[in-house]
Amino acid sequence: MFDIKDLYQEVIVDHNRSPRNFGKLDDANKTLEGFNPLCGDKLTLYLKTEDDTIKDISFDGSGCAISVASASLMTEAMKGKSMQEAEKLFNEFHDLITTDKEADLEELGKLAALAGVKAYPARVKCASLCWHTLHSVIEGGTSPVHTE
Amino acid sequence: MNNQNTAAKLNASTFDVEKIRADFPILQQHVNGKPLVYLDNAATAQKPKQVIETLDTYYREYNSNIHRGVHTLSQKATDAYESAREKVKTFLNANSSKEIIFTRGATEAINLVAQSFGRDTISVGDEIIITELEHHSNIVPWQLLCEQTGATLRYIPINDAGELILEEYEKLLNKKTSIVAVGHISNALGTINPIKTIIDKAHAVGAKVLIDGAQAVPHTKADVQELDCDFYVFSGHKLFGPTGIGVLYGKEALLDAMPPYQGGGDMIQTVSMTKSTFNALPHKFEAGTPHIAGVIGLGAAIDYVNAIDIDVTAQYENELLDYANEQAAQITDLNFVGTAQNKTSILSFTLGRIHPHDIGTILDGEGVAIRAGHHCAMPVMERFEIPATARASFAFYNTREEVDALIQAIDKCIMVFG
C-alpha cells in the first residue's frame, strides 16, 4: 500500500501551484504540442536551441498536478543541456517511472520526486507526456505527440 | 432456470439498504486498506449475486447454441434466451417481443439505427438533431451518418444548469428534420430530459426519435408506448447486468422496413450462392451466435430490479443526492457542474484548481471510486469551459456513510494541495 504523500510530494505540489518556465517563449525556434487523449492533458513545449544546446525552454497548457509539475521540473532540468544529455535524461526518467531498475538519483536530481508515479500505472502518462513531447522535438518531430 | 430474486418488495420508509448490499458481493471488500465506496455507477453498476449465479448456472448446466439445436440443452438455452427477450419487452412495455433486438450495448444499438434506418432514409439536405448533453456514443454515429449522406447535424443547446433549452429546440425543428436523438438522462451531469415533450414536437414535423436510455433505466421507468418514441436503447451493464449486452427497442413497422445491419448466421431464411433472404424480426438484426449468457444475465438483472421496485429506489437515491449536495455545498472551493431541477443521483464537480484526475487518485487512496475526466461528453465540458469534472454517481446500494466517506476524502484533497 502506498501513502498518497509518496505521489504528491511537497516538490510536486509546489511545482503544480507555481509552475516554473510557464508561458510562451517568444524567441523559440522549436515548438511542439503534446496531448493525452484519455485525460485531456495538453501542453505546448517551446525550445530555443543553439547548435546542439537547449538555451531556453518553456511550456504552457493545462493538466493535472502530475503533468504540470513534471513539465515544470523537466524544463528546469533541461536548460543548458545538449540534445544528447537531454536524451540520456529522458531514458533515465522513463526507467524511473516505469521500471524497477536502480535509478541514478544524483543525475535525476529533483526529477526523482516523480518516482512515486510508478505505483499508479494510470498516471504514468501524465508524468511522461512532456518528456515524450521533448523526445519528439529532439528527433525532429513536427506533428503533435499523443500518448497512446 | 433463472434464479428467483430473494429481494422482497420494499417501500421507501422500510428500504433496507444493508439487505440490498448483501446481494452485491463486490461491495464487501477493502480497497487500499479502506472499505470500498463505489460511486462510479454511471460508468458501470455492480452485479447482484442473483445475476452472477444465473451466469454461473448457464455455463455450468446448459451452455449451448440457440435457435438451431435439436438437443435438450440447446432447447433449454433457447427458452432462457427468448424468455429474457420477453422480460425486456415487459420492462420497456413494448408492444411485441419482435421489437426487442439484442446488441452489444447502447452504442451498437445507436449505430445500428444510424446505419440501417439512417442510411436507408436520410439524404442530402436532411437534418438530424441531437443535444449538447450527449455522450459520444450518441454523437459520433450521427456524425458518421451525416458524412455518408450529406445530412446536417444540429445541436439543442443547454443552459448554465445543464438543462436543454427547449425554445431553441423548437427553432431547430423543421420539415427537413429526419431524426431527433436525445439522451433520456445525461451521463455527465445527471439531467433528466423532458423526452415526452421532445418526442411529441419531433413527431409534429414528421421526424423519428431515438432515446438513449443507458443512464435512465437504472433510475426510472421507461414505457416506450407511453413515450411513443420510435427507438429506445440501453446497456445491460449499467442496469446491474453483464457487460457486452444491450437492447434496441424499435417500433415494429420501422424495424420491419429497415435493411439488415450485419449479415451472417441466424439472420437469414435461405442462402444461395447468389442471393439470401432474411429472417423475420427480431432475428433479422441478430447475426451470428449472440451473447447468450449476457442476455440471460440481463434477464436476471431485470428480475432483480423489478423485485426491488424502481420507484422506491429512485426516491432513496434522490434522498442520497440531496444529502451529498448538502454536505458538498459546505466545501468552500467545490463547484457543482450540472444543477438541473430534475436530475438523477449524479454529483459532478470541480474543486478549486485541483485537477479532477488528482481528485480521483486521492479518493482512490481512501477507497472511494469515482470517475474523473470528460465522461465521453466533451461538448458538455466545452460548454462549461472546463477540461474535466470529478463525478460521483450513486446507486441504491450506496449509503449516507459512504457520502460521508466521499466528503472526508474530498477534504483530504484540499489538505494535500493546501
Side-chain angles (χ1 to χ4, degrees):
Chain A
M1 201 190 315
F2 302 93
D3 189 329
I4 203 74
K5 290 277 170 63
D6 293 340
L7 179 64
Y8 295 105
Q9 295 191 17
E10 198 49 50
V11 58
I12 290 176
V13 171
D14 172 47
H15 275 256
N16 174 53
R17 191 183 295 133
S18 333
R20 321 296 198 265
N21 308 309
F22 189 82
K24 198 176 172 204
L25 201 62
D26 285 333
D27 53 351
N29 58 347
K30 292 186 171 75
T31 301
L32 197 63
E33 287 172 0
F35 185 51
N36 181 343
L38 201 67
C39 302
D41 290 349
K42 48 187 160 190
L43 65 83
T44 307
L45 270 189
Y46 305 93
L47 277 84
K48 185 187 171 194
T49 57
E50 267 178 38
D51 302 325
D52 197 33
T53 306
I54 300 171
K55 283 287 179 193
D56 205 355
I57 178 168
S58 75
F59 77 103
D60 61 17
S62 66
C64 63
I66 304 298
S67 77
V68 171
S70 182
S72 175
L73 287 162
M74 183 190 81
T75 53
E76 256 192 355
M78 282 303 154
K79 285 192 190 179
K81 291 272 192 302
S82 71
M83 295 298 188
Q84 203 182 1
E85 287 167 334
E87 272 292 89
K88 187 159 177 286
L89 211 48
F90 167 78
N91 289 321
E92 283 280 349
F93 183 78
H94 201 260
D95 283 352
L96 174 77
I97 61 168
T98 60
T99 71
D100 288 327
K101 274 190 217 164
E102 205 166 314
D104 185 342
L105 293 178
E106 199 177 329
E107 189 169 349
L108 285 164
K110 273 202 261 180
L111 295 170
L114 284 155
V117 170
K118 195 167 60 186
Y120 299 85
R123 305 304 299 277
V124 165
K125 282 173 193 162
C126 309
S128 62
L129 174 64
C130 58
W131 286 89
H132 283 293
T133 309
L134 176 70
H135 177 66
S136 180
V137 172
I138 291 170
E139 291 201 322
T142 50
S143 46
V145 174
H146 289 235
T147 54
E148 81 279 45
Chain B
M1 102 192 15
N2 292 312
N3 290 356
Q4 283 302 308
N5 290 314
T6 51
K9 286 257 183 195
L10 299 157
N11 63 55
S13 59
T14 60
F15 184 73
D16 183 353
V17 69
E18 289 309 322
K19 186 162 177 247
I20 295 287
R21 288 178 71 81
D23 286 336
F24 291 81
I26 205 168
L27 299 177
Q28 333 293 327
Q29 68 174 302
H30 283 61
V31 167
N32 294 320
K34 309 279 169 57
L36 169 65
V37 176
Y38 186 79
L39 302 179
D40 196 17
N41 295 289
T44 196
Q46 298 302 349
K47 322 305 174 198
K49 60 182 186 232
Q50 290 83 343
V51 168
I52 298 167
E53 284 163 7
T54 298
L55 294 172
D56 188 75
T57 304
Y58 166 72
Y59 281 123
R60 282 177 189 278
E61 295 179 11
Y62 62 100
N63 170 55
S64 251
N65 215 327
I66 55 168
H67 293 150
R68 65 199 74 165
V70 292
H71 58 80
T72 303
L73 295 192
S74 173
Q75 190 56 52
K76 203 170 168 183
T78 303
D79 290 348
Y81 183 90
E82 289 305 328
S83 109
R85 197 191 306 276
E86 286 297 324
K87 288 174 190 177
V88 175
K89 179 213 142 198
T90 307
F91 183 67
L92 292 178
N93 192 31
N95 188 42
S96 154
S97 58
K98 290 182 197 165
E99 298 177 320
I100 304 300
I101 314 291
F102 289 116
T103 62
R104 280 194 298 134
T107 298
E108 189 180 54
I110 297 170
N111 278 280
L112 191 163
V113 174
Q115 289 302 309
S116 171
F117 176 77
R119 287 189 84 165
D120 202 39
T121 56
I122 304 280
S123 50
V124 182
D126 285 348
E127 296 179 0
I128 297 167
I129 297 178
I130 61 173
T131 87
E132 278 184 358
L133 274 180
E134 297 315 305
H135 187 281
H136 296 164
S137 59
N138 199 27
I139 300 175
V140 184
W142 306 114
Q143 286 176 336
L144 291 172
L145 178 63
C146 286
E147 276 170 29
Q148 289 156 349
T149 59
T152 307
L153 196 56
R154 306 247 184 250
Y155 289 80
I156 308 173
I158 53 175
N159 63 21
D160 290 343
E163 295 161 326
L164 296 177
I165 305 174
L166 289 182
E167 300 79 57
E168 296 299 322
Y169 171 51
E170 283 175 36
K171 286 184 211 161
L172 291 174
L173 283 167
N174 64 66
K175 277 187 298 186
K176 289 184 282 182
T177 310
S178 308
I179 298 174
V180 176
V182 177
H184 192 162
I185 291 177
S186 153
N187 75 305
L189 308 180
T191 312
I192 302 173
N193 291 320
I195 53 169
K196 180 62 185 154
T197 308
I198 290 170
I199 292 164
D200 289 347
K201 287 186 190 301
H203 284 165
V205 298
K208 302 296 181 209
V209 184
L210 177 142
I211 301 295
D212 172 4
Q215 291 295 332
V217 290
H219 303 288
T220 186
K221 282 194 177 118
D223 180 330
V224 293
Q225 291 193 73
E226 192 189 315
L227 288 169
D228 194 30
C229 54
D230 300 287
F231 302 101
Y232 194 99
V233 309
F234 71 89
S235 286
H237 71 98
K238 293 191 206 286
L239 188 67
F240 317 98
T243 56
I245 192 69
V247 168
L248 163 65
Y249 157 83
K251 282 181 182 166
E252 188 174 345
L254 292 173
L255 292 174
D256 220 21
M258 282 157 57
Y261 173 56
Q262 292 180 331
D266 231 25
M267 55 76 72
I268 46 82
Q269 234 156 26
T270 58
V271 176
S272 75
M273 305 268 274
T274 52
K275 187 164 171 54
S276 301
T277 56
F278 303 123
N279 205 339
L281 289 175
H283 311 293
K284 182 172 82 174
F285 290 108
E286 292 178 6
T289 296
H291 184 7
I292 303 166
V295 167
I296 297 170
L298 174 59
I302 288 175
D303 285 343
Y304 187 84
V305 172
N306 286 341
I308 58 176
D309 192 338
I310 206 159
D311 289 331
V312 173
T313 54
Q315 193 187 328
Y316 174 80
E317 290 164 359
N318 286 342
E319 287 167 13
L320 210 54
L321 179 67
D322 287 345
Y323 179 63
N325 281 336
E326 264 168 46
Q327 298 298 308
Q330 291 172 29
I331 300 171
T332 316
D333 284 340
L334 189 140
N335 174 48
F336 294 93
V337 183
T339 49
Q341 291 247 313
N342 200 8
K343 66 179 280 189
T344 47
S345 48
I346 283 178
L347 170 58
S348 217
F349 64 95
T350 58
L351 192 62
R353 285 186 56 220
I354 307 175
H355 194 282
H357 286 115
D358 297 313
I359 300 171
T361 295
I362 293 172
L363 263 53
D364 180 55
E366 301 299 303
V368 179
I370 60 150
R371 172 84 190 271
H374 52 59
H375 316 298
C376 294
M378 285 169 115
V380 176
M381 300 298 117
E382 212 174 290
R383 169 64 175 74
F384 288 98
E385 296 177 343
I386 46 178
T389 75
R391 180 190 70 185
S393 51
F394 305 94
F396 50 66
Y397 44 62
N398 291 125
T399 65
R400 286 167 77 94
E401 290 73 27
E402 289 183 315
V403 172
D404 294 337
L406 167 70
I407 299 296
Q408 275 167 28
I410 295 173
D411 284 339
K412 176 138 191 187
C413 296
I414 296 166
M415 218 164 72
V416 169
F417 285 95

